[in-house]
Amino acid sequence: MKVIAVDDERLLLNDLLRQLEKIASVESAVGFGNPRGALEWLKENRADVAFLDINMGEMSGLELAKRMKELIPSIAVIFLTGYSEYALDAFSLHASGYLMKPVTKKDIEEELENLRPLKRSAPARLFVSTFGNFELIFDGAPVKFERSKAKELFACLIDRRGAALTMEEISARLWEEEDYSPSKLRQIHTFIASMMRTLEAVGLGDAVIKQYNAVAVNPRKIECDYFRFMERDPEAIASFSGEYMSNYSWAEFTAGTLCRMKDGL
């Protein structure tokens, strides 16, 4: 497993890292003396477990844990502190462990061997699959869209992960080399209406945000393998084999980006 440790007391941090290096199950361990440096590192790297001091001046370990879980929801957090009154706050964050300082190698090994399993929700009834061909899955079966272009429009919005697409940008995606025109705009409005009927039928109508001359999705409303990958979810990363929305040529750029990201993890 890959471990990150954060403690603003340098001697204690170095001692923790030395002990982690002696544990066979620890593949790598990196340490930071300040929370912001740790957060910047996590934006580009993955960790399975975080050992965090709670009482740090710049940012508390409790706040740091919240921010880490925003970047990597699956990360297991083990708090290290000399203050037992923080235990309740630590476990309210679903911490995987809580150790009182000073800690020993045996303490660390026991915590790693008994990591609290991550709370996982029941499988989503509605899921957007992008690895391979693009599909909206409801109760295990692909959802049939009224029009193929309405489905492709929804795929475009998923690809943007919440960033809005203007009508002209949608036209460029759907018809690639053809010029934007009033006729294209009318067709796009038809496709948007068709897409919305399909999404509303499966309870996903509120996931689309319509603005003046633009439309977007709200990623918080959608379960999607691509979104999970970008959050560095280990299962999503493992499930990506190089194919992304293979039924659409415009998706090749994102596919290349995902391949480079996975190679760097």
Side-chain angles (χ1 to χ4, degrees), residues 52-54 78-87 97-104 107-108 111:
L52 308 180
D53 179 34
I54 289 184
I78 297 173
F79 287 108
L80 304 172
T81 185
Y83 302 91
S84 59
E85 63 267 27
Y86 285 114
Y98 185 91
L99 291 174
M100 293 291 294
K101 295 180 181 178
V103 298
T104 66
D107 292 332
I108 296 171
E111 286 298 327

mmCIF file of all heavy atoms in Angstrom, residues 52-54 78-87 97-104 107-108 111:
data_model
loop_
_atom_site.group_PDB
_atom_site.id
_atom_site.type_symbol
_atom_site.label_atom_id
_atom_site.label_comp_id
_atom_site.label_asym_id
_atom_site.label_seq_id
_atom_site.Cartn_x
_atom_site.Cartn_y
_atom_site.Cartn_z
ATOM 1 N N LEU A 52 -2.125 11.146 9.890
ATOM 2 C CA LEU A 52 -2.220 12.594 10.062
ATOM 3 C C LEU A 52 -2.145 12.973 11.544
ATOM 4 O O LEU A 52 -2.889 12.439 12.376
ATOM 5 C CB LEU A 52 -3.546 13.120 9.498
ATOM 6 C CG LEU A 52 -3.906 12.740 8.059
ATOM 7 C CD1 LEU A 52 -5.244 13.366 7.691
ATOM 8 C CD2 LEU A 52 -2.821 13.179 7.092
ATOM 9 N N ASP A 53 -1.260 13.928 11.845
ATOM 10 C CA ASP A 53 -1.280 14.538 13.166
ATOM 11 C C ASP A 53 -2.505 15.449 13.238
ATOM 12 O O ASP A 53 -2.798 16.182 12.289
ATOM 13 C CB ASP A 53 0.003 15.342 13.389
ATOM 14 C CG ASP A 53 0.034 16.014 14.734
ATOM 15 O OD1 ASP A 53 -0.497 15.437 15.699
ATOM 16 O OD2 ASP A 53 0.564 17.130 14.829
ATOM 17 N N ILE A 54 -3.245 15.413 14.326
ATOM 18 C CA ILE A 54 -4.446 16.245 14.422
ATOM 19 C C ILE A 54 -4.107 17.694 14.759
ATOM 20 O O ILE A 54 -4.631 18.625 14.152
ATOM 21 C CB ILE A 54 -5.418 15.679 15.486
ATOM 22 C CG1 ILE A 54 -6.053 14.384 14.971
ATOM 23 C CG2 ILE A 54 -6.515 16.689 15.805
ATOM 24 C CD1 ILE A 54 -7.088 13.794 15.910
ATOM 25 N N ILE A 78 -5.649 7.511 9.350
ATOM 26 C CA ILE A 78 -5.272 7.117 10.697
ATOM 27 C C ILE A 78 -4.699 8.353 11.382
ATOM 28 O O ILE A 78 -3.708 8.936 10.917
ATOM 29 C CB ILE A 78 -4.237 5.980 10.687
ATOM 30 C CG1 ILE A 78 -4.836 4.725 10.045
ATOM 31 C CG2 ILE A 78 -3.762 5.675 12.112
ATOM 32 C CD1 ILE A 78 -3.832 3.598 9.832
ATOM 33 N N PHE A 79 -5.336 8.772 12.475
ATOM 34 C CA PHE A 79 -4.900 9.967 13.177
ATOM 35 C C PHE A 79 -3.865 9.627 14.237
ATOM 36 O O PHE A 79 -3.963 8.598 14.925
ATOM 37 C CB PHE A 79 -6.085 10.673 13.833
ATOM 38 C CG PHE A 79 -6.982 11.378 12.859
ATOM 39 C CD1 PHE A 79 -8.239 10.877 12.564
ATOM 40 C CD2 PHE A 79 -6.569 12.545 12.234
ATOM 41 C CE1 PHE A 79 -9.069 11.519 11.667
ATOM 42 C CE2 PHE A 79 -7.395 13.196 11.336
ATOM 43 C CZ PHE A 79 -8.643 12.695 11.051
ATOM 44 N N LEU A 80 -2.879 10.514 14.368
ATOM 45 C CA LEU A 80 -1.854 10.400 15.389
ATOM 46 C C LEU A 80 -1.918 11.663 16.250
ATOM 47 O O LEU A 80 -1.859 12.768 15.712
ATOM 48 C CB LEU A 80 -0.464 10.294 14.758
ATOM 49 C CG LEU A 80 -0.227 9.176 13.743
ATOM 50 C CD1 LEU A 80 1.138 9.348 13.087
ATOM 51 C CD2 LEU A 80 -0.317 7.829 14.430
ATOM 52 N N THR A 81 -2.039 11.497 17.556
ATOM 53 C CA THR A 81 -2.121 12.680 18.413
ATOM 54 C C THR A 81 -1.824 12.329 19.851
ATOM 55 O O THR A 81 -1.871 11.152 20.246
ATOM 56 C CB THR A 81 -3.514 13.325 18.317
ATOM 57 O OG1 THR A 81 -3.525 14.527 19.063
ATOM 58 C CG2 THR A 81 -4.582 12.390 18.844
ATOM 59 N N GLY A 82 -1.534 13.350 20.624
ATOM 60 C CA GLY A 82 -1.346 13.171 22.054
ATOM 61 C C GLY A 82 -2.548 13.624 22.833
ATOM 62 O O GLY A 82 -2.503 13.690 24.062
ATOM 63 N N TYR A 83 -3.647 13.931 22.130
ATOM 64 C CA TYR A 83 -4.825 14.503 22.781
ATOM 65 C C TYR A 83 -6.033 13.590 22.576
ATOM 66 O O TYR A 83 -6.647 13.569 21.520
ATOM 67 C CB TYR A 83 -5.119 15.895 22.216
ATOM 68 C CG TYR A 83 -3.954 16.837 22.371
ATOM 69 C CD1 TYR A 83 -2.991 16.944 21.361
ATOM 70 C CD2 TYR A 83 -3.801 17.603 23.522
ATOM 71 C CE1 TYR A 83 -1.915 17.799 21.500
ATOM 72 C CE2 TYR A 83 -2.717 18.459 23.668
ATOM 73 C CZ TYR A 83 -1.781 18.558 22.661
ATOM 74 O OH TYR A 83 -0.711 19.398 22.800
ATOM 75 N N SER A 84 -6.401 12.848 23.602
ATOM 76 C CA SER A 84 -7.467 11.863 23.466
ATOM 77 C C SER A 84 -8.836 12.488 23.241
ATOM 78 O O SER A 84 -9.750 11.838 22.733
ATOM 79 C CB SER A 84 -7.536 10.974 24.717
ATOM 80 O OG SER A 84 -7.782 11.772 25.871
ATOM 81 N N GLU A 85 -8.993 13.781 23.581
ATOM 82 C CA GLU A 85 -10.311 14.401 23.411
ATOM 83 C C GLU A 85 -10.704 14.552 21.954
ATOM 84 O O GLU A 85 -11.845 14.867 21.634
ATOM 85 C CB GLU A 85 -10.354 15.776 24.095
ATOM 86 C CG GLU A 85 -9.390 16.805 23.515
ATOM 87 C CD GLU A 85 -8.060 16.829 24.256
ATOM 88 O OE1 GLU A 85 -7.700 15.784 24.826
ATOM 89 O OE2 GLU A 85 -7.411 17.873 24.265
ATOM 90 N N TYR A 86 -9.749 14.340 21.022
ATOM 91 C CA TYR A 86 -10.070 14.449 19.606
ATOM 92 C C TYR A 86 -10.659 13.149 19.040
ATOM 93 O O TYR A 86 -11.045 13.099 17.881
ATOM 94 C CB TYR A 86 -8.819 14.793 18.791
ATOM 95 C CG TYR A 86 -8.379 16.226 18.934
ATOM 96 C CD1 TYR A 86 -7.174 16.524 19.556
ATOM 97 C CD2 TYR A 86 -9.151 17.269 18.429
ATOM 98 C CE1 TYR A 86 -6.745 17.843 19.681
ATOM 99 C CE2 TYR A 86 -8.731 18.587 18.550
ATOM 100 C CZ TYR A 86 -7.527 18.866 19.174
ATOM 101 O OH TYR A 86 -7.106 20.162 19.301
ATOM 102 N N ALA A 87 -10.706 12.095 19.828
ATOM 103 C CA ALA A 87 -11.115 10.800 19.292
ATOM 104 C C ALA A 87 -12.508 10.822 18.682
ATOM 105 O O ALA A 87 -12.745 10.276 17.613
ATOM 106 C CB ALA A 87 -11.056 9.733 20.393
ATOM 107 N N GLY A 97 -8.478 4.667 11.813
ATOM 108 C CA GLY A 97 -7.720 4.358 13.012
ATOM 109 C C GLY A 97 -7.371 5.613 13.786
ATOM 110 O O GLY A 97 -7.476 6.733 13.274
ATOM 111 N N TYR A 98 -6.954 5.404 15.028
ATOM 112 C CA TYR A 98 -6.639 6.532 15.915
ATOM 113 C C TYR A 98 -5.564 6.058 16.883
ATOM 114 O O TYR A 98 -5.798 5.137 17.673
ATOM 115 C CB TYR A 98 -7.908 6.958 16.651
ATOM 116 C CG TYR A 98 -7.757 8.192 17.502
ATOM 117 C CD1 TYR A 98 -8.025 9.447 16.983
ATOM 118 C CD2 TYR A 98 -7.363 8.102 18.848
ATOM 119 C CE1 TYR A 98 -7.909 10.583 17.768
ATOM 120 C CE2 TYR A 98 -7.241 9.237 19.638
ATOM 121 C CZ TYR A 98 -7.526 10.464 19.102
ATOM 122 O OH TYR A 98 -7.404 11.598 19.873
ATOM 123 N N LEU A 99 -4.371 6.648 16.824
ATOM 124 C CA LEU A 99 -3.261 6.229 17.665
ATOM 125 C C LEU A 99 -2.791 7.378 18.541
ATOM 126 O O LEU A 99 -2.658 8.508 18.069
ATOM 127 C CB LEU A 99 -2.087 5.742 16.807
ATOM 128 C CG LEU A 99 -2.270 4.426 16.050
ATOM 129 C CD1 LEU A 99 -1.074 4.174 15.155
ATOM 130 C CD2 LEU A 99 -2.465 3.277 17.022
ATOM 131 N N MET A 100 -2.549 7.054 19.793
ATOM 132 C CA MET A 100 -1.982 8.039 20.706
ATOM 133 C C MET A 100 -0.458 8.021 20.589
ATOM 134 O O MET A 100 0.163 6.959 20.504
ATOM 135 C CB MET A 100 -2.384 7.693 22.140
ATOM 136 C CG MET A 100 -3.874 7.835 22.421
ATOM 137 S SD MET A 100 -4.427 9.544 22.404
ATOM 138 C CE MET A 100 -3.536 10.182 23.832
ATOM 139 N N LYS A 101 0.143 9.200 20.549
ATOM 140 C CA LYS A 101 1.594 9.297 20.522
ATOM 141 C C LYS A 101 2.138 9.029 21.926
ATOM 142 O O LYS A 101 1.479 9.340 22.924
ATOM 143 C CB LYS A 101 2.017 10.700 20.090
ATOM 144 C CG LYS A 101 1.651 11.076 18.666
ATOM 145 C CD LYS A 101 2.119 12.495 18.368
ATOM 146 C CE LYS A 101 1.760 12.932 16.971
ATOM 147 N NZ LYS A 101 2.177 14.316 16.700
ATOM 148 N N PRO A 102 3.357 8.472 22.002
ATOM 149 C CA PRO A 102 4.188 8.011 20.880
ATOM 150 C C PRO A 102 3.722 6.646 20.381
ATOM 151 O O PRO A 102 3.200 5.848 21.157
ATOM 152 C CB PRO A 102 5.578 7.921 21.499
ATOM 153 C CG PRO A 102 5.315 7.604 22.942
ATOM 154 C CD PRO A 102 4.038 8.328 23.304
ATOM 155 N N VAL A 103 3.933 6.380 19.108
ATOM 156 C CA VAL A 103 3.490 5.119 18.527
ATOM 157 C C VAL A 103 4.685 4.212 18.265
ATOM 158 O O VAL A 103 5.800 4.676 18.064
ATOM 159 C CB VAL A 103 2.709 5.334 17.225
ATOM 160 C CG1 VAL A 103 1.450 6.144 17.486
ATOM 161 C CG2 VAL A 103 3.563 6.022 16.175
ATOM 162 N N THR A 104 4.418 2.933 18.253
ATOM 163 C CA THR A 104 5.461 1.949 17.974
ATOM 164 C C THR A 104 5.193 1.279 16.629
ATOM 165 O O THR A 104 4.094 1.401 16.068
ATOM 166 C CB THR A 104 5.491 0.870 19.068
ATOM 167 O OG1 THR A 104 4.260 0.124 19.016
ATOM 168 C CG2 THR A 104 5.646 1.501 20.447
ATOM 169 N N ASP A 107 2.188 -0.849 16.926
ATOM 170 C CA ASP A 107 0.931 -0.082 16.855
ATOM 171 C C ASP A 107 0.532 0.160 15.405
ATOM 172 O O ASP A 107 -0.631 -0.012 15.014
ATOM 173 C CB ASP A 107 1.086 1.277 17.555
ATOM 174 C CG ASP A 107 1.257 1.144 19.050
ATOM 175 O OD1 ASP A 107 0.757 0.159 19.625
ATOM 176 O OD2 ASP A 107 1.893 2.041 19.639
ATOM 177 N N ILE A 108 1.509 0.583 14.611
ATOM 178 C CA ILE A 108 1.245 0.907 13.204
ATOM 179 C C ILE A 108 0.810 -0.338 12.441
ATOM 180 O O ILE A 108 -0.150 -0.307 11.671
ATOM 181 C CB ILE A 108 2.493 1.530 12.552
ATOM 182 C CG1 ILE A 108 2.828 2.863 13.237
ATOM 183 C CG2 ILE A 108 2.271 1.749 11.057
ATOM 184 C CD1 ILE A 108 4.157 3.447 12.807
ATOM 185 N N GLU A 111 -2.764 -1.270 13.192
ATOM 186 C CA GLU A 111 -3.735 -0.394 12.543
ATOM 187 C C GLU A 111 -3.854 -0.721 11.053
ATOM 188 O O GLU A 111 -4.949 -0.749 10.500
ATOM 189 C CB GLU A 111 -3.336 1.071 12.720
ATOM 190 C CG GLU A 111 -3.572 1.607 14.115
ATOM 191 C CD GLU A 111 -5.029 1.580 14.518
ATOM 192 O OE1 GLU A 111 -5.913 1.756 13.644
ATOM 193 O OE2 GLU A 111 -5.315 1.374 15.710
#
